[in-house]
Structure formats: structure tokens, C-alpha cells
Amino acid sequence: SLVGSVLLLILVVAQWRPLIGLDRDIASAFHRWAVDEPGLTQTARVLTDWVWDPWTMRLLCGAVALLLWY
């Protein structure tokens, strides 16, 4: 909702300590996960670099648009 988004934006801009701490904890957990699981990290890199690449998504959207038009 708009109110929740604005409140979150205000807390981020104000650097509210509990929110910054939560962000740091989550980032640390994901970093440990990435270091401990190189296979999953490589899979995530392939997905973000190739599968969800902007050009791949553009081609996919174009193909879907052509299919729907046809």
C-alpha cells in the first residue's frame, strides 16, 4: 500500500537503526549462504545473467505478443 511504502521510505532515509540492523543481518545471512553453497550461487548467477537478462525478457515479451496477435 502507499502508506506502508511511504513509511518504509521515511525509515530508510532516516536510517532507523532497527531497520538498518535487520538489513545487515539479512545481507550477512545471504552472504554466508552464497559462500557455503557455490553451486547454488552459480545457478543464481546464470539465472540473473542469462535467463532474466533484459534482452532475454524483451525477446520473450516480443514472442508472446506475436503469439497473442497471431
Side-chain angles (χ1 to χ4, degrees), residues 28-68:
S28 294
F30 273 100
H31 178 72
R32 281 191 307 274
W33 171 77
V35 170
D36 292 342
E37 301 291 338
L40 291 175
T41 302
Q42 183 62 29
T43 301
R45 289 197 63 182
V46 167
L47 289 173
T48 56
D49 291 347
W50 294 96
V51 177
W52 296 312
D53 176 69
W55 282 107
T56 305
M57 289 293 114
R58 288 176 185 134
L59 290 172
L60 179 63
C61 288
V64 168
L66 286 173
L67 181 66
L68 290 173

Side-chain angles (χ1 to χ4, degrees), residues 13-24:
V13 169
Q15 296 183 357
W16 189 50
R17 290 200 186 276
L19 184 62
I20 300 300
L22 177 63
D23 183 61
R24 188 179 305 114

